[in-house]
Amino acid sequence: MKTGAAAIALGFAGMAMGADMPKDFWTTPTIHGYGKIHYVADAAYKPRADQTYKIIFALTKGSKQPGEVNPALDRVARTVNLYVASGVPLKNLKFVAVAYGEATPLVLNDAQYRAKFGVANPNLPLVEQLRKAGVDVSVCAQAVAEHDFQDDWVDKSVTLALSGLTTVTRLEHDGYVLMPL
């Protein structure tokens, strides 16, 4: 019984701390509603606004629930938000996200996602915002086949790449940095 009371007390303490945070503590300045950040203006290791950043995001983990946005895709949004909040213009962000493994279903068009999971694809609005910000969201064609999906089930906003392997190595060869998520 004491453990339950302690958990309740901690829960109320956590709610109280959240209530004390300023309204704008967490923001989503560029990819609205996704990739929340807490910007610290005087933090160390901030991106330099005059540089171009080339990152390939390897999205390999799936969502816990079909109705939830893929957390790795949300981390891509967080990265965009952090760089732009630091003063880096979107034109200086050369970001590519490639989904494979357990992350592959996030790229399904809404009809196929609904048929497989019974809910609308919650990732598509985020994919759309990332595309508008210049992020190329792609999927490994080998993973599409391994999941028994058809190529035309991939949403039109997603790039069908030969493979995750060739995408990563090709872009690393072109000077991109790999960020596994």
Side-chain angles (χ1 to χ4, degrees):
M1 204 60 150
K2 288 183 181 180
T3 303
I8 291 171
L10 283 173
F12 283 127
M15 289 185 343
M17 286 190 304
D20 291 341
M21 288 183 189
K23 185 177 179 180
D24 61 351
F25 185 85
W26 292 107
T27 63
T28 57
T30 304
I31 308 297
H32 303 290
Y34 302 96
K36 67 182 182 179
I37 65 168
H38 169 62
Y39 186 72
V40 179
D42 59 352
Y45 303 112
K46 288 185 356 187
R48 294 189 351 221
D50 63 341
Q51 299 294 303
T52 296
Y53 295 90
K54 298 163 81 173
I55 302 173
I56 173 83
F57 298 89
L59 313 180
T60 61
K61 296 188 171 99
S63 301
K64 290 182 182 177
Q65 300 293 324
E68 295 176 359
V69 170
N70 183 289
L73 192 63
D74 192 64
R75 300 282 293 203
V76 175
R78 174 177 271 185
T79 306
V80 171
N81 286 332
L82 285 166
Y83 276 77
V84 173
S86 296
V88 180
L90 282 174
K91 68 181 179 66
N92 289 8
L93 301 180
K94 309 300 180 198
F95 289 177
V96 176
V98 60
Y100 54 96
E102 294 174 21
T104 305
L106 77 84
V107 304
L108 290 174
N109 65 39
D110 201 54
Q112 294 303 324
Y113 198 91
R114 282 179 188 275
K116 179 151 182 68
F117 299 109
V119 295
N121 186 339
N123 300 290
L124 294 180
L126 175 51
V127 169
E128 181 181 341
Q129 282 200 55
L130 288 169
R131 295 292 264 185
K132 285 180 182 174
V135 177
D136 181 18
V137 179
S138 64
V139 65
C140 168
Q142 308 312 300
V144 169
E146 288 170 352
H147 280 79
D148 294 321
F149 300 156
Q150 295 177 21
D151 291 349
D152 63 351
W153 293 3
V154 174
D155 192 77
K156 301 266 186 255
S157 63
V158 175
T159 301
L160 184 64
L162 175 60
S163 73
L165 297 169
T166 59
T167 301
V168 169
T169 56
R170 156 74 195 283
L171 291 174
E172 283 186 322
H173 184 74
D174 292 344
Y176 282 69
V177 173
L178 175 62
M179 186 174 294
L181 297 175

